[in-house]
Amino acid sequence: MRIDYRISPRKIGFILGVIALILALQSLVSEYAIENILNSDYSNPVVLVIDLFSVNTEETIPTWYSTILLFMAACGLAVIATGKRAEQDVYARHWIGLAVIFVYLSIDEGAAIHDILAEPLQKAFSTTGFLAFGWQIVAAPLLIIFALVYLRFLLQLPPRTRNLFILAGGLYVGGALIIEGISANQWSLDGGVSFGYLTIATVEELFEMWGVVIFIYALLDYLVNLGAMITLQSLTEAAQEPMQSTALSGLRSALVPILLVCGGLAVMNVVLLSWARAYPSDLLLVEEDFLSSTDIFVNELAGQDVLVTRLPGAFSLNSSSSLQLAASYTDLYAALFVVSLPADDTTIMIAGDSVPFDQNGLMEMLQTSGLSQFVIFDAAAIEPFVSKP
């Protein structure tokens, strides 16, 4: 038996790109509901369901889709690398290298390996602002090395393929480094997760997905222009059975399932938002017969011989009231740490003539208390934003 599938790079790229856009728009709706309707209450089962559609968290449907896109690109590169190696092409190793890189990117997207590196880098360099997430410190030099190694390879590609590669790389890198830097800075200014930060981060993820989609389209287009043929064939029956051919349906037929999916998502959004608004408020309250993580942290600070002040609201460097309060502490005390807890909408100020721990020690105390979402500001970080008379 022999079955040949004729592929249309444009149709495949269009479908994959539309799916990415739908996931990004759905993510914005989900995050708006979580942040502005349900107040980020992750004890609420509605939040847990809606959060499955966020592009900005791990173990979600968009993350699964991004992982698949990267693996599809790796498979396309592997096919080309196999052919180039059979032809003993001088750039066969470059194609193999790209395939390996995209396999790693696929694994990293699913397992979030770069997040493991982020915390040590944040501690080592005390990152803030555009580098708040830390991992860009390693990614940027690696990107420069990659560009230098692959420059000649890129220049020898056919002009159409080369331009598509450059466009795809610009979108992916622009999202992963530049727009993520902007979102990291917004995260720092807002004192943690906010809808503004999530909106920027969603644009970043969409750019990354579109970059990979264009790269997949470029690979398929390159294969088609080379006249490549990939056949799954039974060797014993190939000479006896006639060839059967199946082509992918056109754009018009592809739009039908896309429109059905969009309609289904629209209905689902109406149901989820209605459910979120109608969810009984008393069910959102969690009965606590034990101290919260924040209470444990405050109690631990009580034995450290420092002044501890717990305030409502998350601390922000673009809030005049927050900065004014911080300035009053810096005038009175030699040492100051401000811990913003966005999940609890709480700020804890720690001041004294001397503080018996540094920022790393404070971070360990927070984590030991069970707190995972926090932003630490010291006096040096706050001082540039405080206007002096």
Side-chain angles (χ1 to χ4, degrees), residues 220-257:
L220 295 175
D221 183 72
Y222 181 73
L223 283 168
V224 169
N225 290 333
L226 287 178
M229 178 179 293
I230 304 170
T231 304
L232 299 176
Q233 181 181 0
S234 171
L235 295 177
T236 58
E237 300 177 3
Q240 302 174 10
E241 296 189 9
M243 180 179 70
Q244 300 176 5
S245 175
T246 305
L248 288 181
S249 57
L251 281 176
R252 187 173 299 177
S253 60
L255 285 173
V256 174

Side-chain angles (χ1 to χ4, degrees), residues 113-137:
I113 298 173
H114 65 274
D115 287 344
I116 299 174
L117 301 174
E119 185 176 333
L121 290 170
Q122 290 168 358
K123 290 181 179 180
F125 296 97
S126 299
T127 57
T128 187
F130 293 95
L131 298 177
F133 296 157
W135 67 268
Q136 300 100 320
I137 297 172

